[in-house]
Amino acid sequence: MILIASLIMIGFMIMLNVQSYFLVTFGYAMVSFGSVWSQANFFTVIQAETSSKFKGTITSISTSLTRIIGPIMSLISGFLIKAEVHSIFIVAAVCMFFSMLITVVTGLGKLGKLD
């Protein structure tokens, strides 16, 4: 999970070079790949760690929260870009750093093999 978060964070940092179409596209591809990889792992952990009684509920709540947060983040991104175009990528990279920190501090990164 740390590797995936690092990939996403590096993608955002590459996208800071907004003058280069190639670098922004490459950074976006890294972020997209990392996001899909992360989501697959996230749902694997949810399915493995949640009791059968609550699996559907937890998965649907997680999916709903993800879909609700998307438009809110898009709105915030619009304001950030208006203020300064680089700020959106800086904020995204900082959020990924804190996500990695939370993963390490909570021990989530030490999950063993899932059955």
Side-chain angles (χ1 to χ4, degrees):
M1 287 195 281
I2 298 295
L3 176 66
I4 298 168
S6 298
L7 178 74
I8 294 170
M9 187 173 72
I10 291 167
F12 283 129
M13 289 191 296
I14 289 171
M15 290 170 72
L16 280 169
N17 189 350
V18 294
Q19 302 302 323
S20 170
Y21 178 77
F22 174 76
L23 287 176
V24 170
T25 303
F26 181 70
Y28 184 79
M30 287 178 68
V31 169
S32 295
F33 176 75
S35 296
V36 170
W37 188 13
S38 173
Q39 188 173 19
N41 286 338
F42 176 72
F43 282 111
T44 301
V45 170
I46 285 176
Q47 293 297 321
E49 297 294 317
T50 304
S51 70
S52 297
K53 183 178 178 183
F54 299 110
K55 272 188 189 181
T57 303
I58 298 299
T59 302
S60 66
I61 289 171
S62 299
T63 304
S64 297
L65 285 173
T66 303
R67 292 195 175 138
I68 289 169
I69 295 297
I72 294 169
M73 292 308 296
S74 296
L75 208 100
I76 292 169
S77 298
F79 290 113
L80 287 173
I81 285 190
K82 261 186 149 180
E84 210 280 313
V85 71
H86 296 93
S87 63
I88 188 167
F89 304 120
I90 293 168
V91 168
V94 168
C95 287
M96 285 311 305
F97 173 77
F98 281 119
S99 175
M100 291 184 332
L101 186 64
I102 289 168
T103 299
V104 170
V105 169
T106 61
L108 194 57
K110 294 180 183 175
L111 279 177
K113 183 179 175 185
L114 298 175
D115 295 325

PDB file of all heavy atoms in Angstrom, residues 79-99:
ATOM      1  N   PHE A  79     -11.395  25.802  -7.005  1.00  0.00           N
ATOM      2  CA  PHE A  79     -10.948  26.983  -6.253  1.00  0.00           C
ATOM      3  C   PHE A  79      -9.424  27.020  -6.133  1.00  0.00           C
ATOM      4  O   PHE A  79      -8.809  28.084  -6.225  1.00  0.00           O
ATOM      5  CB  PHE A  79     -11.589  27.016  -4.859  1.00  0.00           C
ATOM      6  CG  PHE A  79     -13.058  27.318  -4.902  1.00  0.00           C
ATOM      7  CD1 PHE A  79     -13.981  26.351  -4.522  1.00  0.00           C
ATOM      8  CD2 PHE A  79     -13.527  28.551  -5.321  1.00  0.00           C
ATOM      9  CE1 PHE A  79     -15.337  26.612  -4.567  1.00  0.00           C
ATOM     10  CE2 PHE A  79     -14.881  28.837  -5.362  1.00  0.00           C
ATOM     11  CZ  PHE A  79     -15.791  27.863  -4.991  1.00  0.00           C
ATOM     12  N   LEU A  80      -8.809  25.851  -5.920  1.00  0.00           N
ATOM     13  CA  LEU A  80      -7.349  25.801  -5.812  1.00  0.00           C
ATOM     14  C   LEU A  80      -6.681  26.238  -7.118  1.00  0.00           C
ATOM     15  O   LEU A  80      -5.709  26.992  -7.105  1.00  0.00           O
ATOM     16  CB  LEU A  80      -6.881  24.390  -5.438  1.00  0.00           C
ATOM     17  CG  LEU A  80      -7.131  23.940  -4.005  1.00  0.00           C
ATOM     18  CD1 LEU A  80      -6.773  22.467  -3.845  1.00  0.00           C
ATOM     19  CD2 LEU A  80      -6.340  24.786  -3.030  1.00  0.00           C
ATOM     20  N   ILE A  81      -7.204  25.772  -8.240  1.00  0.00           N
ATOM     21  CA  ILE A  81      -6.609  26.124  -9.533  1.00  0.00           C
ATOM     22  C   ILE A  81      -6.780  27.609  -9.816  1.00  0.00           C
ATOM     23  O   ILE A  81      -5.896  28.241 -10.381  1.00  0.00           O
ATOM     24  CB  ILE A  81      -7.195  25.249 -10.654  1.00  0.00           C
ATOM     25  CG1 ILE A  81      -6.592  23.868 -10.562  1.00  0.00           C
ATOM     26  CG2 ILE A  81      -6.950  25.862 -12.007  1.00  0.00           C
ATOM     27  CD1 ILE A  81      -6.844  22.942 -11.694  1.00  0.00           C
ATOM     28  N   LYS A  82      -7.920  28.159  -9.416  1.00  0.00           N
ATOM     29  CA  LYS A  82      -8.109  29.600  -9.601  1.00  0.00           C
ATOM     30  C   LYS A  82      -7.078  30.395  -8.801  1.00  0.00           C
ATOM     31  O   LYS A  82      -6.588  31.422  -9.262  1.00  0.00           O
ATOM     32  CB  LYS A  82      -9.516  30.013  -9.149  1.00  0.00           C
ATOM     33  CG  LYS A  82     -10.489  30.152 -10.258  1.00  0.00           C
ATOM     34  CD  LYS A  82     -11.781  30.687  -9.712  1.00  0.00           C
ATOM     35  CE  LYS A  82     -12.450  31.508 -10.773  1.00  0.00           C
ATOM     36  NZ  LYS A  82     -13.696  32.057 -10.348  1.00  0.00           N
ATOM     37  N   ALA A  83      -6.749  29.922  -7.617  1.00  0.00           N
ATOM     38  CA  ALA A  83      -5.780  30.611  -6.765  1.00  0.00           C
ATOM     39  C   ALA A  83      -4.369  30.468  -7.343  1.00  0.00           C
ATOM     40  O   ALA A  83      -3.644  31.447  -7.480  1.00  0.00           O
ATOM     41  CB  ALA A  83      -5.833  30.064  -5.340  1.00  0.00           C
ATOM     42  N   GLU A  84      -3.970  29.252  -7.665  1.00  0.00           N
ATOM     43  CA  GLU A  84      -2.636  28.989  -8.210  1.00  0.00           C
ATOM     44  C   GLU A  84      -2.633  27.590  -8.799  1.00  0.00           C
ATOM     45  O   GLU A  84      -2.985  26.634  -8.117  1.00  0.00           O
ATOM     46  CB  GLU A  84      -1.594  29.101  -7.087  1.00  0.00           C
ATOM     47  CG  GLU A  84      -0.216  29.569  -7.551  1.00  0.00           C
ATOM     48  CD  GLU A  84       0.601  28.450  -8.184  1.00  0.00           C
ATOM     49  OE1 GLU A  84       0.667  27.362  -7.615  1.00  0.00           O
ATOM     50  OE2 GLU A  84       1.161  28.691  -9.256  1.00  0.00           O
ATOM     51  N   VAL A  85      -2.257  27.463 -10.052  1.00  0.00           N
ATOM     52  CA  VAL A  85      -2.409  26.203 -10.776  1.00  0.00           C
ATOM     53  C   VAL A  85      -1.625  25.049 -10.138  1.00  0.00           C
ATOM     54  O   VAL A  85      -2.064  23.901 -10.172  1.00  0.00           O
ATOM     55  CB  VAL A  85      -2.039  26.383 -12.268  1.00  0.00           C
ATOM     56  CG1 VAL A  85      -0.543  26.580 -12.440  1.00  0.00           C
ATOM     57  CG2 VAL A  85      -2.523  25.209 -13.091  1.00  0.00           C
ATOM     58  N   HIS A  86      -0.503  25.316  -9.526  1.00  0.00           N
ATOM     59  CA  HIS A  86       0.302  24.251  -8.920  1.00  0.00           C
ATOM     60  C   HIS A  86      -0.283  23.759  -7.588  1.00  0.00           C
ATOM     61  O   HIS A  86       0.034  22.661  -7.144  1.00  0.00           O
ATOM     62  CB  HIS A  86       1.738  24.724  -8.686  1.00  0.00           C
ATOM     63  CG  HIS A  86       2.460  25.031  -9.949  1.00  0.00           C
ATOM     64  ND1 HIS A  86       2.496  26.304 -10.494  1.00  0.00           N
ATOM     65  CD2 HIS A  86       3.164  24.239 -10.788  1.00  0.00           C
ATOM     66  CE1 HIS A  86       3.198  26.269 -11.605  1.00  0.00           C
ATOM     67  NE2 HIS A  86       3.614  25.030 -11.810  1.00  0.00           N
ATOM     68  N   SER A  87      -1.120  24.572  -6.977  1.00  0.00           N
ATOM     69  CA  SER A  87      -1.612  24.244  -5.632  1.00  0.00           C
ATOM     70  C   SER A  87      -2.392  22.933  -5.582  1.00  0.00           C
ATOM     71  O   SER A  87      -2.317  22.210  -4.595  1.00  0.00           O
ATOM     72  CB  SER A  87      -2.453  25.394  -5.074  1.00  0.00           C
ATOM     73  OG  SER A  87      -3.601  25.606  -5.865  1.00  0.00           O
ATOM     74  N   ILE A  88      -3.109  22.609  -6.635  1.00  0.00           N
ATOM     75  CA  ILE A  88      -3.901  21.375  -6.620  1.00  0.00           C
ATOM     76  C   ILE A  88      -2.998  20.144  -6.522  1.00  0.00           C
ATOM     77  O   ILE A  88      -3.290  19.193  -5.794  1.00  0.00           O
ATOM     78  CB  ILE A  88      -4.835  21.284  -7.849  1.00  0.00           C
ATOM     79  CG1 ILE A  88      -5.773  20.095  -7.675  1.00  0.00           C
ATOM     80  CG2 ILE A  88      -4.077  21.203  -9.134  1.00  0.00           C
ATOM     81  CD1 ILE A  88      -6.917  20.085  -8.649  1.00  0.00           C
ATOM     82  N   PHE A  89      -1.870  20.174  -7.226  1.00  0.00           N
ATOM     83  CA  PHE A  89      -0.956  19.040  -7.193  1.00  0.00           C
ATOM     84  C   PHE A  89      -0.178  18.996  -5.885  1.00  0.00           C
ATOM     85  O   PHE A  89       0.128  17.912  -5.375  1.00  0.00           O
ATOM     86  CB  PHE A  89      -0.017  19.082  -8.399  1.00  0.00           C
ATOM     87  CG  PHE A  89      -0.756  19.121  -9.707  1.00  0.00           C
ATOM     88  CD1 PHE A  89      -0.599  20.174 -10.582  1.00  0.00           C
ATOM     89  CD2 PHE A  89      -1.643  18.114 -10.053  1.00  0.00           C
ATOM     90  CE1 PHE A  89      -1.282  20.219 -11.776  1.00  0.00           C
ATOM     91  CE2 PHE A  89      -2.349  18.135 -11.247  1.00  0.00           C
ATOM     92  CZ  PHE A  89      -2.162  19.200 -12.114  1.00  0.00           C
ATOM     93  N   ILE A  90       0.141  20.157  -5.343  1.00  0.00           N
ATOM     94  CA  ILE A  90       0.823  20.215  -4.051  1.00  0.00           C
ATOM     95  C   ILE A  90      -0.079  19.668  -2.956  1.00  0.00           C
ATOM     96  O   ILE A  90       0.336  18.828  -2.149  1.00  0.00           O
ATOM     97  CB  ILE A  90       1.271  21.664  -3.740  1.00  0.00           C
ATOM     98  CG1 ILE A  90       2.362  22.091  -4.725  1.00  0.00           C
ATOM     99  CG2 ILE A  90       1.752  21.788  -2.296  1.00  0.00           C
ATOM    100  CD1 ILE A  90       2.677  23.571  -4.706  1.00  0.00           C
ATOM    101  N   VAL A  91      -1.334  20.105  -2.938  1.00  0.00           N
ATOM    102  CA  VAL A  91      -2.291  19.623  -1.935  1.00  0.00           C
ATOM    103  C   VAL A  91      -2.492  18.112  -2.083  1.00  0.00           C
ATOM    104  O   VAL A  91      -2.517  17.381  -1.094  1.00  0.00           O
ATOM    105  CB  VAL A  91      -3.631  20.387  -2.028  1.00  0.00           C
ATOM    106  CG1 VAL A  91      -4.713  19.716  -1.207  1.00  0.00           C
ATOM    107  CG2 VAL A  91      -3.449  21.837  -1.601  1.00  0.00           C
ATOM    108  N   ALA A  92      -2.615  17.624  -3.315  1.00  0.00           N
ATOM    109  CA  ALA A  92      -2.807  16.189  -3.549  1.00  0.00           C
ATOM    110  C   ALA A  92      -1.596  15.386  -3.061  1.00  0.00           C
ATOM    111  O   ALA A  92      -1.762  14.348  -2.418  1.00  0.00           O
ATOM    112  CB  ALA A  92      -3.052  15.932  -5.035  1.00  0.00           C
ATOM    113  N   ALA A  93      -0.384  15.876  -3.346  1.00  0.00           N
ATOM    114  CA  ALA A  93       0.827  15.174  -2.898  1.00  0.00           C
ATOM    115  C   ALA A  93       0.914  15.174  -1.376  1.00  0.00           C
ATOM    116  O   ALA A  93       1.279  14.153  -0.770  1.00  0.00           O
ATOM    117  CB  ALA A  93       2.071  15.813  -3.514  1.00  0.00           C
ATOM    118  N   VAL A  94       0.568  16.293  -0.742  1.00  0.00           N
ATOM    119  CA  VAL A  94       0.590  16.371   0.728  1.00  0.00           C
ATOM    120  C   VAL A  94      -0.437  15.400   1.320  1.00  0.00           C
ATOM    121  O   VAL A  94      -0.148  14.697   2.291  1.00  0.00           O
ATOM    122  CB  VAL A  94       0.347  17.821   1.205  1.00  0.00           C
ATOM    123  CG1 VAL A  94       0.076  17.880   2.697  1.00  0.00           C
ATOM    124  CG2 VAL A  94       1.539  18.702   0.847  1.00  0.00           C
ATOM    125  N   CYS A  95      -1.618  15.323   0.726  1.00  0.00           N
ATOM    126  CA  CYS A  95      -2.648  14.380   1.205  1.00  0.00           C
ATOM    127  C   CYS A  95      -2.163  12.939   1.080  1.00  0.00           C
ATOM    128  O   CYS A  95      -2.393  12.122   1.976  1.00  0.00           O
ATOM    129  CB  CYS A  95      -3.948  14.569   0.430  1.00  0.00           C
ATOM    130  SG  CYS A  95      -4.846  16.062   0.854  1.00  0.00           S
ATOM    131  N   MET A  96      -1.467  12.618  -0.015  1.00  0.00           N
ATOM    132  CA  MET A  96      -0.932  11.263  -0.173  1.00  0.00           C
ATOM    133  C   MET A  96       0.139  10.982   0.871  1.00  0.00           C
ATOM    134  O   MET A  96       0.209   9.879   1.404  1.00  0.00           O
ATOM    135  CB  MET A  96      -0.360  11.063  -1.580  1.00  0.00           C
ATOM    136  CG  MET A  96      -1.406  10.900  -2.647  1.00  0.00           C
ATOM    137  SD  MET A  96      -2.701   9.690  -2.293  1.00  0.00           S
ATOM    138  CE  MET A  96      -1.787   8.216  -1.967  1.00  0.00           C
ATOM    139  N   PHE A  97       0.965  11.991   1.175  1.00  0.00           N
ATOM    140  CA  PHE A  97       1.977  11.810   2.204  1.00  0.00           C
ATOM    141  C   PHE A  97       1.316  11.494   3.546  1.00  0.00           C
ATOM    142  O   PHE A  97       1.726  10.560   4.242  1.00  0.00           O
ATOM    143  CB  PHE A  97       2.858  13.057   2.327  1.00  0.00           C
ATOM    144  CG  PHE A  97       3.814  12.984   3.489  1.00  0.00           C
ATOM    145  CD1 PHE A  97       4.952  12.213   3.401  1.00  0.00           C
ATOM    146  CD2 PHE A  97       3.541  13.657   4.667  1.00  0.00           C
ATOM    147  CE1 PHE A  97       5.829  12.122   4.479  1.00  0.00           C
ATOM    148  CE2 PHE A  97       4.405  13.571   5.750  1.00  0.00           C
ATOM    149  CZ  PHE A  97       5.552  12.801   5.654  1.00  0.00           C
ATOM    150  N   PHE A  98       0.267  12.254   3.909  1.00  0.00           N
ATOM    151  CA  PHE A  98      -0.421  11.996   5.170  1.00  0.00           C
ATOM    152  C   PHE A  98      -1.131  10.642   5.152  1.00  0.00           C
ATOM    153  O   PHE A  98      -1.192   9.952   6.164  1.00  0.00           O
ATOM    154  CB  PHE A  98      -1.402  13.122   5.509  1.00  0.00           C
ATOM    155  CG  PHE A  98      -0.730  14.326   6.082  1.00  0.00           C
ATOM    156  CD1 PHE A  98      -0.810  15.544   5.449  1.00  0.00           C
ATOM    157  CD2 PHE A  98       0.008  14.238   7.261  1.00  0.00           C
ATOM    158  CE1 PHE A  98      -0.174  16.660   5.964  1.00  0.00           C
ATOM    159  CE2 PHE A  98       0.646  15.339   7.792  1.00  0.00           C
ATOM    160  CZ  PHE A  98       0.560  16.562   7.139  1.00  0.00           C
ATOM    161  N   SER A  99      -1.623  10.229   4.004  1.00  0.00           N
ATOM    162  CA  SER A  99      -2.232   8.910   3.880  1.00  0.00           C
ATOM    163  C   SER A  99      -1.197   7.821   4.163  1.00  0.00           C
ATOM    164  O   SER A  99      -1.482   6.850   4.869  1.00  0.00           O
ATOM    165  CB  SER A  99      -2.802   8.749   2.473  1.00  0.00           C
ATOM    166  OG  SER A  99      -3.287   7.451   2.282  1.00  0.00           O
TER     167      SER A  99
END
